[in-house]
Amino acid sequence: MKQTIYHHKNLRNELIEKGIELVEEYGMQQLSLRKVAQACNVSHAAPYSHFKNKDDLISAMQSYITDQFTERLQDVIAKYSGKPEFLLEFGKAYVLFFLQNPHYFSFLFTKGKMQINLDIQGESEEDYQPFSIYKEQVLKLLAPLELSEEKKQDYVISLFAYIHGLTSLVTLQNVKYASDWEEKIEDLICTFSIGNEVTSC
């Protein structure tokens, strides 16, 4: 009987994707390189060509999601920076990325190990890159306005809370909503603005 041969164009990414799926279904404690290998139909030794151990795989899973998310946000910045619709498009990109990949959201924000620094003063290399990008862009929009540092801080937190909370809603399986989320995202974001000077809907 012929043995089935599986061809993997990018085994590393397949292992990462399958690892994220397994964590979503069974939890972090049940994740192992052996189980990921089995799910990808490769030998138990195959993952060790890409990852030293389980912790290395978990770190790669977080980086894999973060890199894609960062690229999506940077694309919006390149296209809309300085335009009235920038904040709207940035918010849409944030929500839609996770709407299209809900298991990414669950992994990052319930099982990931990123650091989010809400303070507008001071940065560190450990800050979660997508949030740092968001914070930088919002502060640029607020710069022309005569606002205190405390008020700017309030805007950074409240805007993030709204967009992140909306993202959490659209990715929860037990939340029911009659309308199509993707079609309503723009309307929902437009209900929360910080004035015509900063956002345009």
Side-chain angles (χ1 to χ4, degrees):
M1 183 177 178
K2 264 191 174 180
Q3 185 177 3
T4 303
I5 299 174
Y6 295 91
H7 298 281
H8 300 265
K9 292 182 180 179
N10 192 332
L11 179 57
R12 186 177 190 278
N13 284 354
E14 288 185 44
L15 293 166
I16 288 172
E17 283 280 6
K18 190 57 66 174
I20 295 168
E21 291 176 15
L22 290 175
V23 169
E24 177 74 5
E25 188 169 358
Y26 301 108
M28 191 73 82
Q29 296 302 317
Q30 297 300 314
L31 180 69
S32 69
L33 292 181
R34 177 180 288 268
K35 288 181 179 178
V36 172
Q38 184 177 14
C40 289
N41 294 308
V42 296
S43 71
H44 294 159
Y48 290 94
S49 298
H50 303 277
F51 313 105
K52 292 181 293 186
N53 49 40
K54 174 181 172 178
D55 287 342
D56 193 32
L57 171 61
I58 292 170
S59 178
M61 288 155 62
Q62 180 166 310
S63 295
Y64 176 79
I65 298 170
T66 299
D67 289 347
Q68 291 184 68
F69 188 28
T70 299
E71 184 178 353
R72 182 78 64 91
L73 298 180
Q74 294 286 20
D75 285 346
V76 174
I77 293 170
K79 188 173 181 181
Y80 294 101
S81 183
K83 297 181 180 179
E85 65 269 31
F86 169 75
L87 200 57
L88 169 63
E89 294 300 330
F90 196 87
K92 284 168 57 180
Y94 189 108
V95 178
L96 291 175
F97 176 80
F98 291 113
L99 177 61
Q100 293 156 5
N101 305 281
H103 55 304
Y104 287 0
F105 186 83
S106 175
F107 176 81
L108 274 182
F109 294 103
T110 63
K111 303 172 181 72
K113 295 182 178 180
M114 88 285 287
Q115 297 289 325
I116 292 179
N117 179 14
L118 293 172
D119 294 327
I120 62 174
Q121 299 294 338
E123 297 285 343
S124 78
E125 292 183 358
E126 295 181 353
D127 288 344
Y128 187 54
Q129 187 179 11
F131 182 78
S132 293
I133 292 170
Y134 154 80
K135 185 163 58 175
E136 178 186 3
Q137 294 302 314
V138 171
L139 289 175
K140 282 183 179 179
L141 290 171
L142 294 172
L145 307 180
E146 294 182 2
L147 299 172
S148 66
E149 292 298 294
E150 182 179 4
K151 195 64 176 177
K152 290 177 182 178
Q153 178 75 79
D154 292 345
Y155 278 137
V156 166
I157 294 174
S158 58
L159 279 169
F160 179 69
Y162 183 80
I163 295 300
H164 190 75
L166 182 56
T167 306
S168 180
L169 280 179
V170 306
T171 57
L172 287 172
Q173 293 183 356
N174 60 338
V175 171
K176 303 302 179 184
Y177 180 54
S179 298
D180 182 271
W181 279 119
E182 194 158 347
E183 292 179 358
K184 289 296 295 181
I185 290 302
E186 183 168 332
D187 293 339
L188 293 170
I189 292 175
C190 282
T191 65
F192 188 94
S193 67
I194 55 177
N196 293 330
E197 301 94 337
V198 179
T199 186
S200 175
C201 289

